Amino acid sequence: QVQLVESGGGTVQAGESLRLSCAASGSIFEIDYMAWYRQTPGKQRELLASRRSSGATSYAASVRGRFIISGDSAENTVTLQMNNLGPEDSGVYYCNARVRPPNKSFEVYWGRGTQVTVSS
């Protein structure tokens, strides 16, 4: 089994920064990518940023230039540095990863989520 555990959520004022972390553990043979999603009430879960095991990154237009995704492929961790936060960034942030357990095919896993609240 594979577990993704997020940490670092909380409440901040508009314009401030927050850093989220996610660690993958368990039966891991290979990780294709790790990513961050955001869920807000009444909306679909939105892909914000992703990082492939090669180090290549991509961002949604809504966060490009403000958020930075980084990670350590050897440690199976990913971090999301969020700068210049606004109330529209409030939501539950989920860590996501495509993982291949030993002797199995790739599967997608989700963390339980961490709440981010930005007050104006």
Side-chain angles (χ1 to χ4, degrees):
Q1 191 63 290
V2 176
Q3 298 83 36
L4 302 180
V5 178
E6 304 104 334
S7 61
T11 300
V12 296
Q13 299 279 342
E16 293 184 340
S17 299
L18 205 57
R19 186 180 179 92
L20 304 181
S21 296
C22 174
S25 63
S27 299
I28 299 172
F29 178 75
E30 182 183 357
I31 294 181
D32 181 17
Y33 65 78
M34 297 184 76
W36 287 97
Y37 283 72
R38 179 172 64 208
Q39 178 86 61
T40 54
K43 293 186 178 181
Q44 284 191 328
R45 196 169 290 188
E46 176 190 12
L47 173 62
L48 301 178
S50 65
R51 179 184 182 277
R52 304 198 74 91
S53 59
S54 64
T57 59
S58 64
Y59 297 91
S62 60
V63 304
R64 190 176 297 122
R66 297 189 300 125
F67 290 12
I68 300 171
I69 189 169
S70 60
D72 186 329
S73 297
E75 297 292 327
N76 297 329
T77 59
V78 69
T79 298
L80 187 67
Q81 176 67 41
M82 306 185 292
N83 300 318
N84 192 22
L85 287 162
E88 67 277 9
D89 294 313
S90 297
V92 180
Y93 283 67
Y94 293 92
C95 182
N96 163 277
R98 187 169 182 260
V99 179
R100 185 155 75 96
N103 301 314
K104 294 186 177 181
S105 302
F106 276 102
E107 296 180 6
V108 175
Y109 295 86
W110 293 90
R112 292 189 174 183
T114 184
Q115 177 70 45
V116 172
T117 302
V118 185
S119 58
S120 57

